[in-house]
Amino acid sequence: MFTLPQKESKAPTTCPGPASTQDLDSNHGDGLERECSRKPDWKLPEFCGGGDPTATASSGSSHLSSRGSIIKWFWDSAEEGYRTYHMDEYDEDKNPSGIINMGTSENKLCFDLLSRRPRTMPRVWGRWRGPCPSLCPNFSLREEVARFLSFYCKSPAPLKPENVVVLNGCASLFSALATVLCEVGEAFLIPAPYYGAITQHVYLYGGVRLVCVYLDSEVTGLDTRPFQLTVEKLEMALQRANFEGVKVKGLILINPQNPLGDIYSPGELRDYLEFAKRHKLHVMVDEVYMLSVFEKSAGYHSVLSLEGRVEPASCDFGMSGLRFGTLYTENRDVATAVASLCRYHGLSGLVQYQMAQLLRDRDWINHVYLPENHARLKAAYTYVSGELRALGIPFLSRGAGFFIWVDLRKYLPEATFKEEMLLWRRFLDNKVLLSCGKAFQCKEPGWFRLVFSDKAHRLCLGMQRVRQVLEAKSQVPDDPASCQSQESGNQRR
Amino acid sequence: MSHRLGMFRMPSAQMRGQGLRNQRIHTHLMEMMLHLKQTIEKNLMHLTTRHLQQDLVLEEQRHSQAASEQEALLGRLMYQLVNLLQSGAMGGLGLQPSCPSLDVRRDVRGGQWAQSSRQPDWPVHQLSDPEATFVSQHLSSRGIDISALYHSSFQDYKIYQRDKYHEDKNTMGFINLGLSENKLCLDLMTERLSQSDMNYIEDALLQYPDWRGQPFLREEVARFLTYYCKVPDQLDPENVVVLNGCSSVFSTLAMVLCDPGEAFLIPAPFYGGFAFSACLYSKVELILVHLDSEVTDANPNPFQLTVDKLEQALLEARLTGKKVRGLILINPQNPLGDVYSRDSLQEYLEFAKRYHLHVIIDEIYMLSVFDEFITFHSILSMESLPDPNRTHVIWGTSKDFGISGFRFGVLYTHNREVASAVSSFGYLHGISGIAQHKLCRLLQDREWIDKVYLPTYRSRLQIAHGYMTKKLEALGIPFLNRGSGLYIWMNLKMYLEPCTFEEELLLHRRFLDNKLILSRGRTYMCKEPGWFRITFADKPLLLKQAMHRFYQVLSEQKQDLIVKQLENAQRE
């Protein structure tokens, strides 16, 4: 049975969101807040707050089932913000005053390379047309993926194609894993801030919720860096969940982390895995930014480079539109169960063919794509980080991913998510789209994720608009009240 | 008349078949005990050999793996035993032993869908925790069910994948006429899809898409359906949602229209994929509206769907407290090949409106009507739909264009709420931008479709159908001749003695033994044993080879029947 979210905010066990561990100030569910969420980086469903989808569910949608109304709520809340952008997209020639998108985590730096590359058509296309490749994802693609991951993840032994499952995107993998690992109402642990769309992925079909392991920006005690994940924090979150009667079945890690850009060291990874093992938790490692580590010194290690049994989900390349995601797991039961769902999450045989071709082209990847991609990412990063420094804005980034996690707390007159939303709105009004921390379930208001993997001219213009907003903000306060608290905010950092 | 499928509890049917079932469960148990014994013995042997080779590390590893495999097998068997005992106690249905050796007896009654009876919501699951630990400490109980359901449903398909017929390379391989696939126009499609306009990549195709489908594709789909469904007014692209396949479309519709345990009406026999989809994710029940082959006053045509039958099934379901949310129609019908007349359609829709039911209509064989005297009427062509907000159309290119590998399915609905709710699933059922571009180009090429593709396709369908029906006639096999679809629904009752689903399964096995895959009536929830569906949309050479095997099986079967009859006579 699906447990539908209840309307009472005091019933955390029925909330699919990480509501059980949410504090009250996250419940400023007003209309504006919904708009913050737009496409790939989704906002969390605030089932306990003002944006209660069960309200719409009960208020006279005669055509949908009650779960249907909740499902629709996901779409509607995403629609609003995304539509604003799409109705007024920036275009150099046609719409120079349109909105610049620095919110969607997409790598737009290498489309030229990619669109030249996967142009080849299958020569033996009958074979790839397959009766229903989704029913039995083509074995040679899985072999290719295994070889690819063995090489780039530096696995100690070659990875086995039988352990590879290919679906249409990592979203589907999260959905499938949630379904086969958990019962309805059970949960995964996830360190927050995190890529918010995962909430929707595990909830839609799976009815699985996320329990947040909240991380702090403040460096204290054992932490050596802001937002550091420690085993203590994991233990505490798990304990709290157990105390609240939430059954936790797994742990989701994102490495390199989104939105922090953080990279876990092999030692840290091992600690987390040990923690999971101690509590018999599945570990899902999302390594979607694995090849987007542009700082060599960052020292990225895939979980597949470690010895041990884990279920990492991983995928890569700046081609979100291709819809391609792979799961590598040494647990045959899990692989089989996830594969059972691929009838519903299959990808076109043609795309399977093209992906296999692409992954096979090690020469091109190593000598053309990766060096160029990393160089471009680094250049873009250098530019944006320089701009931020000039503005005196603190930020986090460790040389991985497409984004910088920016601390704009000093621009909030009051440390609330309402103010964060107002600032986000102001950016949008000034035609630049960012993602606010709320969308990542960050517990401190005032953090924003800024995506820099875009062409130079768009980036410059985007940064210019960001600067305009921030400068105006610090010079012309809205009202005396906000001015006061802004000062205190300034003192903090 | 109605009979529930899915998480059904069947009080009356349960009582009736109790004796028979107990007996069968007994044999099942015996078989399993035997198998268990063997497995334990083997396991012990492994353990002893392992001790002998303890010094060899590599060996050791391999053996511990083997041992853990054995353990898993043991666990599975225990799980099945527990389950069987429970299902026996509750009058449930048989189960799916995963061991091939036990397969033959597996779906005597309840068949593949027996699995669906073990979906959550169903009392067995109150005890599912200890079972789950038996089978796998890793999967959730629904995970186990999904795995089991998938493997039982697609077993034949997997055998086929490993040993496919090939006219040069593997003449002894399996011929699959069980899958409804259109392989008649691969040459045309390959040629068209290889043209230069198909290979196009732009930034937008590589980026996160509009999750409802790229606007250019939705616009083209709207134009395409407007034209081929003869819609009076232009269809609105905003009402189109594009996902990766029609199964996905149906699955999401079931999610957003029903809550778990609610139900859809569906005339049976019907395409089994619906039952699979209904129980896999959405846990929606299907209430069968059984159709009869026998022609009577109330049933002017074999398997005719009438409003009376719909009404009766609905009322019966409501009496048992079921909440029925909709009606599923397939037009042209699969497996019957029926094409509904405009008047019948109108009646069905009026019926649905009367009872506030959604209508999900699957028109995936829309362009596969090859008899020129038969006109297909899409419900989109109606001047005014009785209840537009509750009418949802599914279409895809898998059948009409024979490109099931593309994974493309369309929902057209006037109900924006439904469209939005389904769109939420775009993330999980998205299609690659590159494939979307190709599909758009394909649907756009009206000239090629009208002048080249459709005429060739239909004439090839006609020829293949003609060949197949002639063979069937020569064998004196009754079948439905409906002039649409890729398959023929035929009656092999005369080869079954007694005429039961057990015998139907045995005949199916016999076809398999002779490397021919057909689909049997049971998988379409047909209530009369002995019906089979055979696909004819394949190359002439392959059809010839298939019919040869078909003929052989039936002669063997006939021989056996004669022997059986003689034995019976002697005994008397």
Side-chain angles (χ1 to χ4, degrees), chain A residues 1-2 4 39-42 60-69 71-76 79 82 104-106 108 111-112 114-115 118-121 125-126 128-136 168 171-172 175-176 178-186 195 197 200-201 204-208 247 249 282 309 311 318-323 331-334 336-351 354 455 458, chain B residues 76 120-121 128-129 135-144 146-148 150-151 154 157 160-161 164 179 181-183 186 189-191 193-194 199-212 244 247-248 251-252 254-260 262 271 273 276-278 280-284 325 358 387 389-390 402-407 415-435 438:
Chain A
M1 274 300 290
F2 254 81
L4 294 164
K39 264 315 122 105
D41 283 335
W42 221 287
S61 156
S62 55
H63 300 294
L64 297 178
S65 60
S66 34
R67 69 174 168 198
S69 305
I71 289 164
K72 177 173 172 286
W73 179 86
F74 275 106
W75 176 256
D76 292 342
E79 260 307 70
Y82 197 53
T104 308
S105 176
E106 279 188 308
K108 293 178 182 153
F111 284 140
D112 55 333
L114 284 165
S115 48
R119 193 170 280 242
T120 45
M121 256 308 267
W125 106 283
W128 288 85
R129 185 203 56 91
C132 223
S134 57
L135 289 182
C136 178
N168 65 336
S172 302
S175 168
T179 307
V180 306
L181 297 180
C182 299
E183 309 299 344
V184 172
E186 293 182 343
Y195 171 58
Q200 185 188 11
H201 302 335
L204 279 189
Y205 274 131
V208 169
K247 191 160 182 198
K249 294 298 272 289
H282 291 270
R309 282 165 68 94
E311 290 101 44
M319 295 190 291
S320 44
L322 272 184
R323 311 310 304 135
N331 186 329
R332 210 51 72 78
D333 284 342
V334 174
T336 324
V338 170
S340 303
L341 291 168
C342 57
R343 183 183 166 85
Y344 297 88
H345 307 290
L347 67 160
S348 166
L350 287 167
V351 179
Q354 290 185 333
K455 293 274 158 54
R458 281 196 293 251
Chain B
R76 255 197 298 277
D121 214 33
S128 69
D129 274 347
V135 190
S136 158
Q137 305 127 331
H138 306 292
L139 297 179
S140 60
S141 58
R142 61 178 170 180
I144 293 166
I146 286 169
S147 247
Y150 178 79
H151 289 280
F154 294 98
Y157 186 75
Y160 162 70
Q161 284 288 339
K164 270 188 204 178
L179 204 61
E181 269 202 296
N182 161 16
K183 294 181 184 162
L186 287 178
M189 284 312 295
T190 309
E191 197 204 319
L193 289 169
S194 307
N199 281 330
Y200 170 76
I201 287 174
E202 61 165 5
D203 295 3
L205 295 180
L206 296 173
Q207 295 175 27
Y208 281 116
D210 180 332
W211 296 105
R212 294 174 291 169
N244 67 339
S247 316
S248 302
S251 175
T252 54
M255 285 294 288
V256 308
L257 299 181
C258 294
D259 282 320
E262 294 181 344
Y271 166 59
F276 186 82
S277 299
L280 192 73
Y281 270 135
S282 53
K283 315 296 180 215
V284 167
R325 292 299 298 260
H358 288 272
D387 195 354
N389 269 322
R390 286 198 180 83
I403 46 173
S404 45
F406 254 94
R407 311 313 302 135
N415 189 325
R416 286 288 160 84
E417 262 184 328
V418 173
S420 302
V422 166
S423 303
S424 283
F425 286 96
Y427 251 123
L428 306 180
H429 298 295
I431 325 174
S432 164
I434 296 178
K438 290 182 205 291

Side-chain angles (χ1 to χ4, degrees), chain A residues 284-416:
Chain A
M284 286 144 284
V285 187
D286 179 349
E287 301 190 338
V288 71
Y289 295 103
M290 166 179 106
L291 296 182
S292 306
V293 181
F294 51 89
E295 228 33 282
K296 282 235 170 57
S297 56
Y300 169 75
H301 291 270
S302 164
V303 72
L304 292 175
S305 67
L306 309 176
E307 309 272 356
R309 282 165 68 94
V310 278
E311 290 101 44
S314 121
C315 59
D316 224 288
F317 283 94
M319 295 190 291
S320 44
L322 272 184
R323 311 310 304 135
F324 175 80
T326 69
L327 166 73
Y328 189 86
T329 170
E330 282 170 14
N331 186 329
R332 210 51 72 78
D333 284 342
V334 174
T336 324
V338 170
S340 303
L341 291 168
C342 57
R343 183 183 166 85
Y344 297 88
H345 307 290
L347 67 160
S348 166
L350 287 167
V351 179
Q352 294 193 27
Y353 173 84
Q354 290 185 333
M355 279 314 294
Q357 291 293 319
L358 177 71
L359 299 181
R360 190 176 297 144
D361 200 348
R362 215 58 66 70
D363 211 46
W364 176 81
I365 296 174
N366 284 334
H367 299 119
V368 181
Y369 181 74
L370 286 182
E372 190 60 36
N373 186 31
H374 290 168
R376 291 183 193 180
L377 279 174
K378 196 168 175 172
Y381 168 76
T382 311
Y383 167 73
V384 172
S385 56
E387 289 286 297
L388 290 172
R389 267 189 213 104
L391 281 163
I393 296 173
F395 61 89
L396 290 181
S397 174
R398 296 186 61 200
F402 310 148
F403 34 74
I404 295 180
W405 187 236
V406 181
D407 181 1
L408 299 182
R409 283 182 297 180
K410 64 177 175 190
Y411 296 94
L412 301 190
E414 231 177 292
T416 62

Side-chain angles (χ1 to χ4, degrees), chain B residues 18-270:
Chain B
Q18 198 66 57
L20 181 87
R21 202 170 302 115
N22 282 344
Q23 212 175 1
R24 210 178 53 245
I25 285 169
H26 182 71
T27 17
H28 254 312
L29 273 175
M30 288 303 285
E31 290 275 352
M32 284 202 162
M33 286 301 194
L34 266 175
H35 200 84
L36 197 62
K37 191 167 150 264
Q38 282 170 6
T39 320
I40 293 170
E41 277 166 7
K42 248 193 247 167
N43 201 7
L44 282 174
M45 217 169 70
H46 270 289
L47 286 173
T48 33
T49 40
R50 202 167 72 156
H51 281 299
L52 296 174
Q53 296 163 330
Q54 231 161 13
D55 43 337
L56 301 171
V57 180
L58 262 178
E59 279 305 286
E60 167 79 354
Q61 272 174 357
R62 201 179 312 147
H63 276 279
S64 60
Q65 199 191 343
S68 68
E69 271 165 26
Q70 295 281 318
E71 272 160 31
L73 184 60
L74 276 175
R76 255 197 298 277
L77 282 165
M78 296 298 285
Y79 163 62
Q80 284 166 359
L81 277 171
V82 172
N83 212 353
L84 190 62
L85 286 168
Q86 277 167 353
S87 66
M90 305 179 28
L93 307 162
L95 76 154
Q96 237 71 57
S98 62
C99 330
S101 59
L102 299 176
D103 261 351
V104 184
R105 279 159 301 278
R106 74 184 158 106
D107 62 342
V108 205
R109 192 176 175 286
Q112 302 185 333
W113 311 112
Q115 283 297 343
S116 57
S117 61
R118 295 196 288 102
Q119 297 297 316
D121 214 33
W122 154 263
V124 168
H125 270 256
Q126 289 162 358
L127 291 154
S128 69
D129 274 347
E131 293 166 23
T133 46
F134 267 129
V135 190
S136 158
Q137 305 127 331
H138 306 292
L139 297 179
S140 60
S141 58
R142 61 178 170 180
I144 293 166
D145 285 339
I146 286 169
S147 247
L149 175 61
Y150 178 79
H151 289 280
S152 58
S153 309
F154 294 98
Q155 225 159 28
D156 291 354
Y157 186 75
K158 275 191 288 182
I159 303 170
Y160 162 70
Q161 284 288 339
R162 278 197 292 267
D163 182 18
K164 270 188 204 178
Y165 173 84
H166 188 278
E167 51 197 25
D168 310 314
K169 284 178 225 151
N170 189 16
T171 50
M172 293 306 292
F174 279 100
I175 295 182
N176 192 350
L177 296 184
L179 204 61
S180 170
E181 269 202 296
N182 161 16
K183 294 181 184 162
L184 287 172
C185 292
L186 287 178
D187 54 337
L188 294 181
M189 284 312 295
T190 309
E191 197 204 319
R192 182 64 191 86
L193 289 169
S194 307
Q195 280 170 26
S196 56
D197 64 328
M198 288 289 169
N199 281 330
Y200 170 76
I201 287 174
E202 61 165 5
D203 295 3
L205 295 180
L206 296 173
Q207 295 175 27
Y208 281 116
D210 180 332
W211 296 105
R212 294 174 291 169
Q214 296 274 9
F216 63 79
L217 180 58
R218 284 188 289 114
E219 279 160 28
E220 198 49 55
V221 167
R223 273 194 293 270
F224 182 90
L225 292 179
T226 306
Y227 178 76
Y228 286 102
C229 297
K230 306 193 177 59
V231 185
D233 299 311
Q234 193 73 27
L235 294 177
D236 186 347
E238 287 299 303
N239 296 343
V240 174
V241 182
V242 169
L243 299 180
N244 67 339
C246 294
S247 316
S248 302
V249 175
F250 174 71
S251 175
T252 54
L253 276 176
M255 285 294 288
V256 308
L257 299 181
C258 294
D259 282 320
E262 294 181 344
F264 285 131
L265 280 183
I266 187 166
F270 65 92

Side-chain angles (χ1 to χ4, degrees), chain B residues 341-360:
Chain B
S341 70
R342 199 185 281 271
D343 291 345
S344 312
L345 272 176
Q346 186 77 35
E347 284 175 24
Y348 306 148
L349 294 180
E350 296 285 356
F351 155 80
K353 186 183 181 182
R354 216 158 40 240
Y355 293 98
H356 304 295
L357 299 179
H358 288 272
V359 177
I360 296 177

